[in-house]
Amino acid sequence: VDIPEGKVMQRNFIKAKEIPSAYVQRNAFILSKGDNVADIENLVTRVAISKEDQITKSALASLSPDAGISLKVSPNYRAFILDVNSNVSNLVKPGDKVDILLTFEAALKGGTKENMAATILQNILVLGVGSNLGQGLDAAGRAANSEREANAAAFSDRSVLSLALTPLEAQYLALAKEEGEITIVVRSSGDSKMYPMAVSSFSKLFSY
């Protein structure tokens, strides 16, 4: 397919094709027996690549914080930057799916108040954690990334998650942040089911 500049490469963008060695461009990606197309995934196009063009190493760059989170945002979605405790960011990784819970104080009839918890969003994709965008890095890149994260953690116990949300979901999460405490719940790999979830409260808990 035609691939625009600044696009994160995906497996379905490309197709392996056998051509005479004399026509192979300089620095083109060559798949030999045992090689994996995954070597190209998560790289970013420096320039537009037309359909049927050979893909060269000079046309691609590593996905990095300098490239920006916008490259990972799918059309019609937004990257919501959620402030979280660093303990959360140490466990959650780019590509994980999470549910988002809101714990809040609800006003009941008669003027009483009660703490409640509600699952407000389900099956949300984590685009990035801090400056980690899930990019493929060599050993030196991983070391530099780890050092950067460690230096940031030394001055703060907070980090951020970049979440892929629709514009409406982003509005709901922005409202929820102002009304109570947000909790991140990590899903099992491969679980994308949307579960009906009732609001929980202490009165329900102790009535069982």
Side-chain angles (χ1 to χ4, degrees), residues 68-100:
I69 189 67
S70 62
L71 295 176
K72 295 199 67 177
V73 183
S74 300
N76 303 319
Y77 278 77
R78 305 291 185 267
F80 192 104
I81 311 302
L82 179 66
D83 181 62
V84 296
N85 189 284
S86 60
N87 291 329
V88 174
S89 63
N90 288 336
L91 296 174
V92 181
K93 301 302 177 186
D96 284 347
K97 294 291 189 69
V98 300
D99 292 347
I100 299 177

Short mmCIF file of all heavy atoms in Angstrom, two decimals, residues 68-100:
data_model
loop_
_atom_site.label_atom_id
_atom_site.label_comp_id
_atom_site.label_asym_id
_atom_site.label_seq_id
_atom_site.Cartn_x
_atom_site.Cartn_y
_atom_site.Cartn_z
N GLY A 68 7.40 11.40 18.87
CA GLY A 68 6.10 11.82 19.36
C GLY A 68 5.09 10.69 19.43
O GLY A 68 5.12 9.76 18.63
N ILE A 69 4.18 10.79 20.38
CA ILE A 69 3.16 9.76 20.59
C ILE A 69 2.12 9.78 19.48
O ILE A 69 1.44 8.79 19.23
CB ILE A 69 2.48 9.95 21.98
CG1 ILE A 69 1.58 8.76 22.33
CG2 ILE A 69 1.68 11.25 22.00
CD1 ILE A 69 2.32 7.49 22.56
N SER A 70 1.98 10.90 18.77
CA SER A 70 0.94 11.02 17.74
C SER A 70 1.09 9.96 16.66
O SER A 70 0.10 9.58 16.02
CB SER A 70 0.97 12.42 17.11
OG SER A 70 2.21 12.65 16.46
N LEU A 71 2.31 9.46 16.43
CA LEU A 71 2.52 8.45 15.40
C LEU A 71 1.83 7.14 15.73
O LEU A 71 1.58 6.33 14.84
CB LEU A 71 4.02 8.21 15.22
CG LEU A 71 4.84 9.38 14.69
CD1 LEU A 71 6.31 9.04 14.65
CD2 LEU A 71 4.35 9.79 13.30
N LYS A 72 1.52 6.91 17.00
CA LYS A 72 0.90 5.65 17.40
C LYS A 72 -0.61 5.75 17.53
O LYS A 72 -1.29 4.76 17.81
CB LYS A 72 1.48 5.16 18.73
CG LYS A 72 2.95 4.80 18.67
CD LYS A 72 3.36 3.91 19.84
CE LYS A 72 2.70 2.56 19.79
NZ LYS A 72 3.14 1.66 20.88
N VAL A 73 -1.16 6.96 17.35
CA VAL A 73 -2.60 7.15 17.53
C VAL A 73 -3.34 6.80 16.24
O VAL A 73 -3.06 7.37 15.18
CB VAL A 73 -2.91 8.60 17.93
CG1 VAL A 73 -4.41 8.77 18.18
CG2 VAL A 73 -2.13 8.99 19.18
N SER A 74 -4.29 5.88 16.33
CA SER A 74 -5.08 5.49 15.17
C SER A 74 -6.07 6.59 14.80
O SER A 74 -6.45 7.40 15.65
CB SER A 74 -5.85 4.20 15.46
OG SER A 74 -4.97 3.14 15.76
N PRO A 75 -6.48 6.64 13.53
CA PRO A 75 -7.48 7.64 13.13
C PRO A 75 -8.73 7.57 14.01
O PRO A 75 -9.17 6.48 14.39
CB PRO A 75 -7.78 7.25 11.68
CG PRO A 75 -6.55 6.57 11.21
CD PRO A 75 -6.02 5.82 12.39
N ASN A 76 -9.29 8.72 14.32
CA ASN A 76 -10.51 8.87 15.13
C ASN A 76 -10.28 8.60 16.61
O ASN A 76 -11.26 8.54 17.38
CB ASN A 76 -11.64 7.97 14.61
CG ASN A 76 -11.98 8.23 13.16
OD1 ASN A 76 -12.03 9.39 12.73
ND2 ASN A 76 -12.19 7.18 12.39
N TYR A 77 -9.02 8.42 17.02
CA TYR A 77 -8.70 8.24 18.43
C TYR A 77 -7.83 9.40 18.91
O TYR A 77 -7.32 10.19 18.12
CB TYR A 77 -7.98 6.91 18.67
CG TYR A 77 -8.92 5.73 18.77
CD1 TYR A 77 -9.50 5.18 17.63
CD2 TYR A 77 -9.24 5.17 20.01
CE1 TYR A 77 -10.38 4.11 17.72
CE2 TYR A 77 -10.11 4.11 20.10
CZ TYR A 77 -10.67 3.58 18.96
OH TYR A 77 -11.55 2.53 19.06
N ARG A 78 -7.66 9.46 20.22
CA ARG A 78 -6.81 10.46 20.85
C ARG A 78 -5.89 9.77 21.84
O ARG A 78 -6.23 8.71 22.39
CB ARG A 78 -7.65 11.52 21.59
CG ARG A 78 -8.71 12.21 20.75
CD ARG A 78 -8.11 13.12 19.69
NE ARG A 78 -9.13 13.86 18.98
CZ ARG A 78 -9.69 13.48 17.84
NH1 ARG A 78 -9.32 12.30 17.30
NH2 ARG A 78 -10.62 14.20 17.25
N ALA A 79 -4.73 10.35 22.08
CA ALA A 79 -3.83 9.85 23.12
C ALA A 79 -4.09 10.65 24.40
O ALA A 79 -3.75 11.83 24.47
CB ALA A 79 -2.37 9.98 22.70
N PHE A 80 -4.73 10.02 25.36
CA PHE A 80 -5.03 10.67 26.65
C PHE A 80 -3.84 10.44 27.57
O PHE A 80 -3.46 9.29 27.84
CB PHE A 80 -6.30 10.09 27.26
CG PHE A 80 -6.83 10.87 28.43
CD1 PHE A 80 -7.93 11.69 28.29
CD2 PHE A 80 -6.23 10.78 29.68
CE1 PHE A 80 -8.43 12.42 29.36
CE2 PHE A 80 -6.72 11.49 30.76
CZ PHE A 80 -7.82 12.32 30.61
N ILE A 81 -3.26 11.50 28.08
CA ILE A 81 -2.09 11.40 28.96
C ILE A 81 -2.57 11.40 30.40
O ILE A 81 -3.04 12.42 30.92
CB ILE A 81 -1.11 12.56 28.72
CG1 ILE A 81 -0.83 12.72 27.22
CG2 ILE A 81 0.17 12.32 29.50
CD1 ILE A 81 -0.27 11.49 26.56
N LEU A 82 -2.47 10.24 31.04
CA LEU A 82 -2.99 10.06 32.41
C LEU A 82 -1.85 9.99 33.40
O LEU A 82 -0.96 9.14 33.27
CB LEU A 82 -3.83 8.79 32.49
CG LEU A 82 -4.43 8.46 33.85
CD1 LEU A 82 -5.46 9.52 34.25
CD2 LEU A 82 -5.08 7.08 33.82
N ASP A 83 -1.86 10.85 34.38
CA ASP A 83 -0.85 10.85 35.44
C ASP A 83 -1.12 9.68 36.38
O ASP A 83 -2.25 9.50 36.85
CB ASP A 83 -0.91 12.18 36.20
CG ASP A 83 0.12 12.27 37.30
OD1 ASP A 83 1.31 12.22 36.98
OD2 ASP A 83 -0.27 12.36 38.48
N VAL A 84 -0.08 8.87 36.65
CA VAL A 84 -0.24 7.70 37.50
C VAL A 84 0.96 7.59 38.45
O VAL A 84 1.99 8.22 38.24
CB VAL A 84 -0.35 6.39 36.69
CG1 VAL A 84 -1.60 6.39 35.84
CG2 VAL A 84 0.89 6.18 35.82
N ASN A 85 0.80 6.76 39.47
CA ASN A 85 1.91 6.45 40.36
C ASN A 85 2.96 5.64 39.61
O ASN A 85 2.63 4.82 38.76
CB ASN A 85 1.39 5.67 41.57
CG ASN A 85 2.44 5.49 42.64
OD1 ASN A 85 3.34 4.67 42.51
ND2 ASN A 85 2.32 6.26 43.72
N SER A 86 4.23 5.87 39.92
CA SER A 86 5.31 5.17 39.21
C SER A 86 5.24 3.66 39.42
O SER A 86 5.73 2.89 38.59
CB SER A 86 6.67 5.71 39.66
OG SER A 86 6.86 5.52 41.06
N ASN A 87 4.63 3.19 40.52
CA ASN A 87 4.47 1.75 40.72
C ASN A 87 3.60 1.14 39.62
O ASN A 87 3.80 0.00 39.21
CB ASN A 87 3.85 1.47 42.09
CG ASN A 87 4.79 1.79 43.23
OD1 ASN A 87 6.00 1.68 43.08
ND2 ASN A 87 4.25 2.21 44.36
N VAL A 88 2.61 1.92 39.15
CA VAL A 88 1.76 1.45 38.07
C VAL A 88 2.55 1.38 36.77
O VAL A 88 2.51 0.40 36.05
CB VAL A 88 0.54 2.38 37.90
CG1 VAL A 88 -0.28 1.98 36.68
CG2 VAL A 88 -0.32 2.36 39.15
N SER A 89 3.30 2.44 36.48
CA SER A 89 4.04 2.49 35.22
C SER A 89 5.17 1.46 35.15
O SER A 89 5.61 1.09 34.07
CB SER A 89 4.62 3.90 35.01
OG SER A 89 5.55 4.22 36.02
N ASN A 90 5.61 0.98 36.31
CA ASN A 90 6.66 -0.05 36.31
C ASN A 90 6.12 -1.41 35.88
O ASN A 90 6.88 -2.29 35.46
CB ASN A 90 7.28 -0.17 37.70
CG ASN A 90 8.17 1.01 38.05
OD1 ASN A 90 8.69 1.69 37.17
ND2 ASN A 90 8.34 1.26 39.33
N LEU A 91 4.81 -1.60 35.99
CA LEU A 91 4.20 -2.90 35.69
C LEU A 91 3.45 -2.91 34.37
O LEU A 91 3.42 -3.93 33.68
CB LEU A 91 3.26 -3.30 36.82
CG LEU A 91 3.92 -3.52 38.19
CD1 LEU A 91 2.85 -3.77 39.25
CD2 LEU A 91 4.88 -4.69 38.14
N VAL A 92 2.82 -1.80 34.02
CA VAL A 92 2.06 -1.72 32.77
C VAL A 92 3.02 -1.44 31.62
O VAL A 92 3.96 -0.65 31.76
CB VAL A 92 0.99 -0.62 32.86
CG1 VAL A 92 0.19 -0.54 31.57
CG2 VAL A 92 0.06 -0.88 34.04
N LYS A 93 2.80 -2.08 30.47
CA LYS A 93 3.67 -1.94 29.32
C LYS A 93 2.87 -1.50 28.09
O LYS A 93 1.66 -1.77 28.00
CB LYS A 93 4.38 -3.27 29.00
CG LYS A 93 5.23 -3.81 30.15
CD LYS A 93 6.30 -2.83 30.58
CE LYS A 93 7.10 -3.35 31.77
NZ LYS A 93 8.06 -2.34 32.29
N PRO A 94 3.51 -0.81 27.14
CA PRO A 94 2.82 -0.46 25.89
C PRO A 94 2.25 -1.71 25.22
O PRO A 94 2.91 -2.75 25.16
CB PRO A 94 3.94 0.17 25.05
CG PRO A 94 4.91 0.71 26.04
CD PRO A 94 4.89 -0.28 27.18
N GLY A 95 1.02 -1.60 24.75
CA GLY A 95 0.36 -2.74 24.13
C GLY A 95 -0.57 -3.48 25.07
O GLY A 95 -1.41 -4.27 24.62
N ASP A 96 -0.44 -3.24 26.39
CA ASP A 96 -1.38 -3.84 27.34
C ASP A 96 -2.77 -3.25 27.14
O ASP A 96 -2.93 -2.13 26.67
CB ASP A 96 -0.92 -3.58 28.79
CG ASP A 96 0.24 -4.47 29.21
OD1 ASP A 96 0.53 -5.44 28.50
OD2 ASP A 96 0.85 -4.18 30.27
N LYS A 97 -3.78 -4.00 27.56
CA LYS A 97 -5.15 -3.51 27.59
C LYS A 97 -5.57 -3.38 29.06
O LYS A 97 -5.29 -4.26 29.87
CB LYS A 97 -6.10 -4.48 26.87
CG LYS A 97 -5.85 -4.60 25.36
CD LYS A 97 -6.22 -3.31 24.66
CE LYS A 97 -6.18 -3.47 23.15
NZ LYS A 97 -7.23 -4.34 22.61
N VAL A 98 -6.25 -2.28 29.38
CA VAL A 98 -6.62 -2.01 30.77
C VAL A 98 -8.08 -1.58 30.87
O VAL A 98 -8.67 -1.12 29.89
CB VAL A 98 -5.72 -0.91 31.38
CG1 VAL A 98 -4.25 -1.33 31.37
CG2 VAL A 98 -5.89 0.42 30.66
N ASP A 99 -8.64 -1.76 32.06
CA ASP A 99 -9.91 -1.15 32.43
C ASP A 99 -9.62 0.01 33.38
O ASP A 99 -8.60 0.01 34.07
CB ASP A 99 -10.82 -2.16 33.12
CG ASP A 99 -11.30 -3.27 32.18
OD1 ASP A 99 -11.12 -3.12 30.96
OD2 ASP A 99 -11.84 -4.26 32.69
N ILE A 100 -10.52 0.98 33.41
CA ILE A 100 -10.33 2.16 34.25
C ILE A 100 -11.50 2.27 35.21
O ILE A 100 -12.67 2.30 34.79
CB ILE A 100 -10.20 3.43 33.40
CG1 ILE A 100 -8.98 3.29 32.48
CG2 ILE A 100 -10.08 4.66 34.28
CD1 ILE A 100 -8.79 4.44 31.53
#
